[in-house]
Structures are given as C-alpha cells and as structure tokens.
Amino acid sequence: MTMENVAKRLHTQPQEVLARLRFIGNVAQELGYPVYVVGGFVRDLLLGVEDYDLDIVVEGDGIHFAKELSSRLHVGFVKHKQFGTATLITHDKVKVDVATARQETYEYPASLPKVKPGSIKDDLARRDFTINALALDISRNNFGALVDFFHGRKDLNKKAIRALYDISFIDDPTRILRAIRFEQRFGFTIERHTFTLLKDALKKHMLEAVHKHRLRDEFILILKESQAFKCIKRINGLCGFAFIEKKLRLKKKALNTLKKIEGTYTWFRDNYPHKHKVEVWLLYLMVLLEHLDSMRLKKVFKEFAFRRSEMDAASIFKEESSAMLSRLKAPIAPSVIYKILQPLPYEVLLCVFIKAHDKKVKDKIRDFLFTYKSIQIHLNGEELKALGMAPGPQFKRILLQLLYAKLDGKFKTKEEELIYLRHNILAKSCAKNGGKV
Ligand code: CTP
C-alpha cells in the first residue's frame, strides 16, 4: 500500500473544513477509534475540486462515535441503524456522515447489501471505483496520511475509472450510471476491463433489476450534473433508457432540445430578478419522456414515485406545449400572453422557451418572465374594502382585471388605476348585475 502524506493539501482547504477534520480526529484519538475521511472528499481533494461532504469512517462503533461528536459539537444527529451510519445535523456548509468500517455482502444481484463490521481495508474494498476507494487518516498522530490499497492515486493520475472487483456492476448496477457520471464529470475514461464488465452487466439487463426508487435517485444525480447532457448522450449511445421505459431511446431532435437546457437554465438562474428555484433535472426528464404516450408517461412517474407536481409538469409539457407555441405565434396582447404562461411551472416555461424556434415567440416568453411578472397594481383587497366594497371572491377577479389592464398599458398611476376601476370594471359589472358589484 502506498503511504503518502497529503496534510499540505488539507491546509489548502477552507478553515472550517480543516478545523472540523482536526476536531473529529482528536475526538477519535481520545476514544481510541482509528478514524478516516473516505470516498468523494479524498478524490476531490487530490483533484483540487471543492467538496465539503465529509464521509467519516471509524474502525469501531460509528453510531457511538457520531453520538459523541454530536454532543461535543452541540448538533443533532440522525442514525441509520441498518447500515451502522449516522448523519450530523451541522449548521454550516460542512456536512458530516459517520460510518462504522464495514464489510458488505450481496445476497442476490442488485439487492441492498448485508453489512458487518470490518477494517478500513474491508470498507474500501466494497466500494465502486478505485478513485473512490481512497481514505485519509485524520487521527492526530497520523493526520493526512493517504490510505491507498487499490492504486486509486495512480488511477486519478491516469484519469481512469476502474472497478474494484469483477462483479461490482452485478452487485450494484447503479454503479453503471455512476461510472458514466464520473466519466463525464471529470472527463475520465472508463478503463478497458471495467468497460467490458459494464457492458456485460448491461447485456444482462442489470439496471432493470434495480429497485425503481434507487434508480430514480441515481438518475436525478446524473441530471443534476453540469455535464448532464453528455451523460444522457453517453447512456443513449450505450444502452438507451430501457431502465426507465421499454425501448426508450432518444432521437436527434430530442437530443438537440436537451443540449440547450444547461445554457437556458444558467441564463435564467443568473438573470431572473425574482427568487425562484428551478429543478433543472426535471427539465431534462420532461424532454426525455416527452414522446411517451400519456398513459406511459404517468405510469413512469408513478412507478418511480416522483412527486405529483413533477408528473403534472411533465404532462402539461407533453400535452400542451405545441398548442401554446402556436397561440404565442399570433400577435396577442400582453395580458393574453400572461394568461397563457402564468399557470405554468417554471420548468415547463423554460422547456417551452427552448422548444420555441420563432424569435417572436421567444421574445414573448422573455417579456413575460422579465417584465410582465414584475408588474404590480397599486390597489389590493384592503383598499377595495376602504372604497366601500364588500369583500368576497369577486375581489380576486377585480384585481386580476386591473392587472390585465395594466399589462396592456391602460394606465400607469394609482389615480388612473382608480379611474379605470370605477369606469371600466365597477360600472360594467354594476350594469351587468342590475346595480350590484
Ligand atoms: N459508493 C459505492 N457504491 C455506490 C455508491 C457509493 O461504492 N453505489 C461509495 C463510493 O466510495 C463513494 C462513497 O460511497 O465515493 C460515497 O458515495 P456518494 O456520496 O454517492 O459519492 P461521492 O463519491 O461522494 O460522489 P459525489 O461527488 O457525486 O457526491
């Protein structure tokens, strides 16, 4: 085993990360636990990539250690008894998971593993790829010593993704997706033998054997990558998306749409003046599934237990985007644009924007997002009451009518708004209802 000390690199980490590692190392030493930080953090440290997720492994009782840490750090912790792991509820960006070093055995392919305590070597040996099977000793006496039983350091230098053992993809087929995710994220190459193993597992349809909820989580991780499009293209070329729905493979047109998502999403995120979270992964998923028929689309969302709102967004996009695009082609007033676009979730809006090829349609969606959505009227329910109107459901209708009129440039100031209310809304509805508003 190679023994290199990377303490110097650790000193390039933000102060709070280094302090947290030292603290954990000191407590472990005091309690007599050999302690390591493992997996993604070590890989990213050596690659010079920012990563504040600390996966801590102790040779000993991980849950007891986590409890001890949580009380000394004055934070809560959640234990997952089945795997002997725990998560500290830290209140800063440094996340801490603690685990007992363990051995794993899989009872049958794609099952959840049976675990029992083991050494750090056992713990690293059960992992997916050599680059993820590196550990750093963080105990006080040996702080920063790299623990590398499987030549992970060499593979990092070679930019190679190498499975640790031959049935790794059979034991856990989600690793097929992980291999592609790391390959595209870091621009690495899946090493030749590993690639053969991966293709064998695909031929055996191992992905289809995984529980759908696990597949969903792994697939969402792919769609959240900044290289999501490259991952999708890679999967499409290798095996298609039969693990989501039989025979699902993307054609050029869908790929062209998917390619534009990242750019549109970043443009929106960096420029949209209001606070609103957009789930970029959902944009990818909606386009990916757009050409399934409606029943199958819903079936997929249910089987994978996505949220109802996510299924609804995908259905609206599938069913309504073409009609919306053709309505937006016509010369229409801002209030009409508003009525068409306002009910849509942002994810659908952005996908419709991507699908629009007509510059005028794109302009309308842009105007909606960056202008119309910021327009507000002066009056509100309280003021309508102060004007002597009886509160009720008609308030909402009146305020909307005012908003539509303002969007269409019928008035600007509050005085003009009041005049418009009297002459164009109240007078008309009064006449219609025989004197009542
Ligand atoms: N792991 C594994 N097999 C899996 C999932 C995870 O062997 N199917 C191991 C890997 O050693 C991995 C570690 O568990 O490094 C932590 O998993 P996770 O947090 O999912 O991955 P990271 O490597 O931290 O990747 P990311 O940067 O995407 O968070």
Side-chain angles (χ1 to χ4, degrees):
M1 183 187 63
T2 333
M3 264 293 190
E4 177 187 349
N5 194 297
V6 296
K8 258 198 193 142
R9 270 183 191 267
L10 279 173
H11 284 96
T12 63
Q13 289 293 296
Q15 189 48 39
E16 58 267 54
V17 175
L18 189 60
R20 184 69 48 85
L21 286 172
R22 282 206 186 280
F23 182 85
I24 296 171
N26 290 348
V27 176
Q29 186 129 353
E30 191 185 306
L31 298 175
Y33 288 129
V35 66
Y36 307 86
V37 55
V38 298
F41 176 83
V42 186
R43 175 199 68 215
D44 291 344
L45 178 79
L46 298 175
L47 287 174
V49 173
E50 226 174 60
D51 186 342
Y52 302 136
D53 291 348
L54 304 182
D55 285 321
I56 304 295
V57 166
V58 289
E59 286 180 319
D61 185 344
I63 292 190
H64 171 251
F65 183 56
K67 200 169 168 187
E68 200 52 47
L69 277 180
S70 80
S71 88
R72 295 190 193 200
L73 285 166
H74 309 291
V75 299
F77 82 112
V78 184
K79 59 181 171 194
H80 319 283
K81 233 180 172 173
Q82 190 191 358
F83 295 110
T85 61
T87 305
L88 300 189
I89 320 287
T90 48
H91 301 294
D92 51 18
K93 60 182 177 183
V94 191
K95 305 275 168 284
V96 181
D97 281 307
V98 183
T100 305
R102 62 196 200 244
Q103 281 179 291
E104 277 182 357
T105 42
Y106 291 81
E107 279 185 314
Y108 54 90
S111 63
L112 284 178
K114 284 250 175 303
V115 301
K116 63 176 185 196
S119 64
I120 183 70
K121 187 171 182 185
D122 295 327
D123 195 278
L124 296 173
R126 70 181 173 83
R127 291 171 184 264
D128 51 2
F129 309 115
T130 57
I131 59 167
N132 289 340
L134 286 158
L136 271 188
D137 193 330
I138 53 165
S139 55
R140 190 167 39 214
N141 290 348
N142 212 5
F143 193 76
L146 187 68
V147 178
D148 181 9
F149 291 103
F150 307 103
H151 310 295
R153 181 67 155 129
K154 207 163 107 201
D155 282 336
L156 270 181
N157 292 341
K158 284 191 0 202
K159 298 178 182 284
I161 295 174
R162 185 189 311 272
L164 278 173
Y165 58 100
D166 279 6
I167 59 165
S168 180
F169 295 116
I170 305 288
D171 275 350
D172 180 356
T174 64
R175 290 172 176 169
I176 297 170
L177 297 177
R178 291 174 64 85
I180 293 170
R181 183 152 66 88
F182 294 125
E183 174 196 45
Q184 299 303 323
R185 183 198 290 176
F186 298 125
F188 280 18
T189 306
I190 302 175
E191 167 278 326
R192 192 161 359 145
H193 178 60
T194 302
F195 197 53
T196 307
L197 300 171
L198 183 150
K199 283 193 294 190
D200 281 350
L202 283 174
K203 251 191 234 144
K204 292 186 176 125
H205 301 283
M206 288 313 300
L207 271 176
E208 283 96 307
V210 180
H211 192 286
K212 293 210 165 19
H213 297 184
R214 282 187 66 211
L215 269 181
R216 174 201 60 207
D217 294 346
E218 203 57 53
F219 195 51
I220 289 179
L221 287 181
I222 287 209
L223 301 182
K224 283 183 170 172
E225 290 280 323
S226 62
Q227 302 296 342
F229 173 68
K230 284 191 181 167
C231 294
I232 291 174
K233 225 169 116 187
R234 180 72 156 135
I235 296 171
N236 201 45
L238 260 176
C239 57
F241 297 87
F243 60 93
I244 299 179
E245 173 64 27
K246 243 186 241 156
K247 295 196 183 137
L248 179 60
R249 222 177 188 123
L250 299 171
K251 304 235 167 68
K252 212 166 166 201
K253 206 167 159 204
L255 285 170
N256 278 338
T257 309
L258 289 161
K259 195 175 183 176
K260 294 178 188 149
I261 289 179
E262 176 67 16
T264 302
Y265 167 70
T266 353
W267 159 75
F268 175 82
R269 191 197 54 203
D270 296 346
N271 295 291
Y272 191 58
H274 308 286
K275 259 214 154 99
H276 195 92
K277 182 153 172 49
V278 165
E279 297 291 358
V280 65
W281 64 266
L282 184 56
L283 273 80
Y284 285 106
L285 192 65
M286 289 190 321
V287 177
L288 242 147
L289 301 179
E290 187 189 358
H291 296 295
L292 295 186
D293 69 49
S294 303
M295 292 264 287
R296 281 160 75 207
L297 181 85
K298 290 207 169 99
K299 198 180 111 229
V300 167
F301 273 83
K302 282 193 184 135
E303 281 175 353
F304 284 80
F306 283 101
R307 294 201 175 91
R308 179 70 209 225
S309 57
E310 293 155 0
M311 177 169 88
D312 289 346
S315 293
I316 295 173
F317 177 65
K318 180 200 161 40
E319 308 283 349
E320 297 174 29
S321 57
S322 301
M324 256 180 295
L325 285 169
S326 54
R327 284 184 73 195
L328 290 169
K329 263 191 191 161
I332 45 177
S335 63
V336 180
I337 300 174
Y338 188 93
K339 283 178 211 167
I340 299 173
L341 298 179
Q342 174 63 14
L344 303 180
Y346 281 84
E347 287 81 4
V348 176
L349 261 176
L350 292 180
C351 278
V352 172
F353 181 83
I354 292 168
K355 264 184 88 176
H357 296 301
D358 187 325
K359 181 178 176 303
K360 285 188 186 139
V361 174
K362 278 203 180 307
D363 285 345
K364 285 184 182 119
I365 303 175
R366 225 180 271 126
D367 286 345
F368 168 74
L369 283 169
F370 291 92
T371 311
Y372 307 159
K373 269 189 95 77
S374 308
I375 288 181
Q376 283 178 342
I377 50 172
H378 296 281
L379 295 172
N380 56 31
E382 283 310 308
E383 300 202 47
L384 293 185
K385 262 201 272 178
L387 289 170
M389 296 167 60
Q394 75 278 12
F395 270 26
K396 197 173 161 201
R397 183 176 43 82
I398 291 171
L399 293 173
L400 259 182
Q401 271 181 286
L402 279 173
L403 177 66
Y404 296 153
K406 185 159 187 182
L407 285 167
D408 291 341
K410 305 268 195 241
F411 53 78
K412 277 204 176 98
T413 65
K414 188 168 179 179
E415 288 68 35
E416 291 165 344
E417 191 170 313
L418 276 164
I419 295 171
Y420 189 90
L421 171 70
R422 288 208 184 90
H423 292 185
N424 295 68
I425 301 180
L426 300 184
K428 278 185 193 158
S429 78
C430 225
K432 220 164 75 192
N433 300 331
K436 282 198 331 223
V437 179

